[in-house]
Amino acid sequence: QLDEAMAGCDQAILLRPDYVEAWTLRGDLLVELNRLDAALASYDQSIALQPDYAEAWCNRGNVLLGLKQPDTALDSCDQAIGIRPNFVEAWTNRGNVLMALEQFDLALASYDQAILLRADYAEAWSNRGNVLMDLNQPGAALASYDRAIAIRPGYAQAWSNRGNALFDLEQPEAALASYERAIDLRPDYAEMYANCGNVLRDLKQVDAALASYDRAIAIRPDFVEAQFNKSVALLLSGDFGAGFKLHEWRLDEKISGSNTGRVFSQALWLGAESLQGKTILLHSEQGLGDTLQFCRYAKRVAGLGARVILEVEAPLMNLLKTLDGVSELVAKGSLLPPFDYHCPLLSLPLAFNTTVASVPAEIPYLHAQQEKVRAWQQRLGEKTRLRVGLVWSGGFRPDQPRLWAVNARRNIELSKLSCFRGLDVEFYSLQKGQPAESHLHELKAAHWDGPDILDFSAELNDFTDTAALIENLDLVIAVDTSTAHLAGALGKEVWLLNRFDTCWRWMLDRSDSPWYPGMTLFRQPSMGDWDSVLSAVTARLAALAP
């Protein structure tokens, strides 16, 4: 009965304005009421009355974290610890703040200190697991979650976190069971229904996943992550109409962070207004592969009578000079020219009411520079065997730890490509970035038993170089990376090596793609099973190059 409790605090303060504990309790109640600014003022009043009141400093840190002021929050936690060095909750809160600041090693040290002070502190064990997840140590994280649950078997959040670790450990069924246990403990736990939906989606049980997302949204209609993940499930099932409409939730900062949610004074165009005689800015928003996939819509936008400005990542500038429909190309971060409307590239399928049957697939829509194609032709010499380009890794993103698990599932260990040895094929590395390039050099130096892979990566300075080399190949075999999109957009035959928990754009159980008519998908039959995929690819290659 929070309102009555608040009235009691206010009455106590009215009777005794210097009642420190009442001001602190009032702050706690305001936190429960999600009135964080008012809560901060109450804690500040407590501290003004009693500067060495550790609880007020600690709780103030929590509020500042909620107000997205992590640096100030850290100072508050440190003040609490300075007053009371054995203050377990303050050490745990300090870890939470350091997590928000992405100082993961320091956060782990804070949680460890809390556990040293109180070995049965379940929250510290669970939060310690969270930081280990961000440090890409799901096995150690699982052990931490299990310790939290052993201390408090009814700890729903720890069961939830445990499910996350199990999924990253490629144990989706066990993850689902952990999420369901969390729901048993807290039937109103919207996050867990959403997590169940994610696992069910990745297990290709789309109808069950949609039901789980709907349950989460019924509990929390403004649940951004559930709305977004529901859109992914709909797109995966081929329901582009409903899927692309819901996919606009990706623009919320909870999904996009600072990468997508662009704010312009000009209106967002989603297909309703006439573009005749107008100028529109189409802007990229996510990875290079997304830009390569959806820039195809520029020609359609221009066909509506618009002058099209396309803003893209700098590495794509030279390549996209060949794209039809673009009047002006601008590198992201540069000064933008005047325009009347704007549209993110991933909103264009919605604007054009795209269905699976109406995907604009006029291939090729990108073209290599002919002088570079001829230069590579001379460099490679006369062709005597099938030429195949290889991409086995999407690279490593050290600044995006939450993508590490997905990247690990998407990428293939180079050593597994030893199955291609003995084939009458010339293999070319199209791999850019670390650690993949180093792995190739290391294997070559160790005289590995795989095929000889010709490596010109040092000469692939931008996407125009890669495009020109691809034009001299017969086939590209790649994991789900921007190079696969590039080859598909060039009209080259592509064999996509696809993980079990597929990206929505490849949909379910198809061996082809409406986005790239020249693409064939080789799918994992179960989580992590690259051996079956590579066996099928080897057999197909052997048939092409006996």
Side-chain angles (χ1 to χ4, degrees):
Q1 301 177 35
L2 298 178
D3 290 332
E4 289 185 34
M6 180 66 71
C9 273
D10 288 342
Q11 182 64 23
I13 291 167
L14 184 65
L15 293 169
R16 202 175 108 196
D18 62 349
Y19 191 176
V20 175
E21 290 82 358
W23 280 106
T24 302
L25 178 56
R26 185 175 185 274
D28 298 343
L29 291 167
L30 287 163
V31 169
E32 291 292 326
L33 292 166
N34 200 32
R35 294 169 56 189
L36 299 186
D37 287 312
L40 181 62
S42 275
Y43 293 135
D44 284 344
Q45 183 62 30
S46 296
I47 292 165
L49 292 167
Q50 186 177 325
D52 64 349
Y53 193 15
E55 285 82 358
W57 281 108
C58 179
N59 295 354
R60 181 178 184 270
N62 276 345
V63 168
L64 287 164
L65 182 57
L67 290 169
K68 298 183 179 178
Q69 300 178 42
D71 291 306
T72 315
L74 183 61
D75 179 66
S76 243
C77 293
D78 287 342
Q79 289 279 1
I81 291 167
I83 295 163
R84 193 194 306 168
N86 293 335
F87 194 174
V88 175
E89 289 80 0
W91 280 104
T92 302
N93 292 345
R94 183 175 187 272
N96 299 341
V97 173
L98 289 163
M99 281 275 286
L101 291 167
E102 297 189 353
Q103 298 180 30
F104 300 123
D105 290 323
L106 292 175
L108 184 63
S110 273
Y111 294 135
D112 285 343
Q113 180 63 26
I115 289 165
L116 184 65
L117 292 167
R118 190 192 303 170
D120 63 349
Y121 192 21
E123 287 84 353
W125 282 106
S126 183
N127 292 355
R128 181 179 186 272
N130 293 342
V131 76
L132 287 165
M133 288 287 288
D134 279 331
L135 288 168
N136 198 29
Q137 299 178 41
L142 180 63
S144 254
Y145 297 137
D146 284 343
R147 187 67 180 269
I149 290 165
I151 295 165
R152 194 198 306 170
Y155 191 179
Q157 185 63 56
W159 281 103
S160 164
N161 295 339
R162 183 177 184 270
N164 298 338
L166 286 164
F167 188 80
D168 279 4
L169 289 167
E170 298 187 1
Q171 300 179 43
E173 290 85 0
L176 188 61
S178 207
Y179 293 142
E180 288 171 344
R181 177 60 180 146
I183 290 171
D184 288 341
L185 292 165
R186 275 185 57 187
D188 64 342
Y189 202 173
E191 287 81 358
M192 283 312 89
Y193 287 106
N195 286 351
C196 282
N198 294 343
V199 175
L200 290 164
R201 182 191 68 207
D202 288 341
L203 288 172
K204 302 182 181 179
Q205 300 177 35
V206 175
D207 289 340
L210 290 171
S212 204
Y213 293 133
D214 285 341
R215 187 71 182 272
I217 293 165
I219 297 169
R220 270 182 53 197
D222 63 345
F223 191 175
V224 173
E225 293 87 349
Q227 297 276 12
F228 168 74
N229 285 316
K230 181 182 177 183
S231 81
V232 173
L234 288 165
L235 293 169
L236 190 64
S237 71
D239 187 350
F240 281 9
F244 278 121
K245 185 175 181 180
L246 269 187
H247 207 54
E248 292 299 286
W249 284 93
R250 78 189 184 282
L251 299 172
D252 189 282
E253 65 176 5
K254 290 181 180 177
I255 304 297
S256 67
S258 60
N259 297 322
T260 305
R262 304 283 293 279
V263 177
F264 297 102
S265 58
Q266 295 88 342
L268 170 67
W269 181 80
L270 290 177
E273 298 84 2
S274 170
L275 292 180
Q276 187 66 43
K278 301 294 185 180
T279 298
I280 185 169
L281 170 70
L282 307 181
H283 48 97
S284 63
E285 54 179 281
Q286 297 187 22
L288 300 177
D290 289 313
T291 302
L292 292 170
Q293 180 177 0
F294 294 104
C295 69
R296 69 181 72 200
Y297 281 90
K299 182 178 179 181
R300 291 205 170 186
V301 176
L304 299 176
R307 180 178 183 273
V308 174
I309 301 167
L310 179 61
E311 183 199 47
V312 299
E313 298 84 350
L316 295 176
M317 285 287 290
N318 290 330
L319 174 71
L320 294 185
K321 290 176 181 176
T322 67
L323 185 64
D324 287 342
V326 177
S327 298
E328 186 172 356
L329 201 61
V330 180
K332 184 170 282 189
S334 300
L335 183 67
L336 292 170
F339 57 93
D340 302 300
Y341 294 100
H342 78 96
C343 184
L345 285 181
L346 268 76
S347 293
L348 289 169
L350 173 63
F352 284 94
N353 298 311
T354 303
T355 66
V356 173
S358 68
V359 167
E362 297 84 11
I363 304 294
Y365 57 87
L366 295 180
H367 306 276
Q369 296 176 7
Q370 286 307 302
E371 64 275 16
K372 289 192 173 184
V373 173
R374 289 190 291 270
W376 276 112
Q377 188 177 26
Q378 293 175 0
R379 179 72 186 277
L380 301 185
E382 183 181 356
K383 189 178 82 166
T384 58
R385 294 187 292 170
L386 188 74
R387 288 175 171 169
V388 176
L390 295 176
V391 182
W392 57 90
S393 174
F396 177 65
R397 304 178 187 184
D399 60 332
Q400 296 176 289
R402 289 169 181 83
L403 296 180
W404 291 349
V406 174
N407 280 344
R409 294 196 297 275
R410 176 182 64 172
N411 299 341
I412 299 177
E413 291 180 18
L414 176 57
S415 59
K416 284 187 174 293
L417 301 189
S418 61
C419 60
F420 294 159
R421 65 179 175 272
L423 294 173
D424 191 24
V425 174
E426 282 184 1
F427 290 105
Y428 293 82
S429 171
L430 299 175
Q431 190 69 58
K432 290 291 289 182
Q434 298 297 346
E437 287 187 50
S438 295
H439 288 168
L440 177 58
H441 298 155
E442 290 164 6
L443 281 178
K444 280 176 169 283
H447 306 291
W448 78 309
D449 61 351
D452 183 30
I453 300 176
L454 299 171
D455 181 19
F456 297 105
S457 59
E459 299 173 46
L460 301 178
N461 298 309
D462 68 8
F463 276 83
T464 61
D465 297 317
T466 305
L469 176 55
I470 287 172
E471 287 288 15
N472 282 277
L473 306 178
D474 300 297
L475 167 69
V476 172
I477 300 175
V479 294
D480 187 1
T481 64
S482 58
T483 306
H485 289 282
L486 172 61
L490 292 168
K492 186 64 60 176
E493 185 175 0
V494 183
W495 292 359
L496 187 78
L497 312 180
N498 198 26
R499 70 183 193 269
F500 182 79
D501 55 315
T502 179
C503 177
W504 64 264
R505 72 200 71 217
W506 312 126
M507 297 190 286
L508 292 173
D509 304 325
R510 293 180 63 140
S511 60
D512 66 335
S513 168
W515 298 98
Y516 302 108
M519 180 175 283
T520 301
L521 276 70
F522 292 81
R523 297 175 178 271
Q524 286 185 339
S526 60
M527 189 81 79
D529 183 4
W530 285 121
D531 291 338
S532 295
V533 170
L534 292 173
S535 177
V537 169
T538 303
R540 184 80 68 89
L541 270 179
L544 286 178

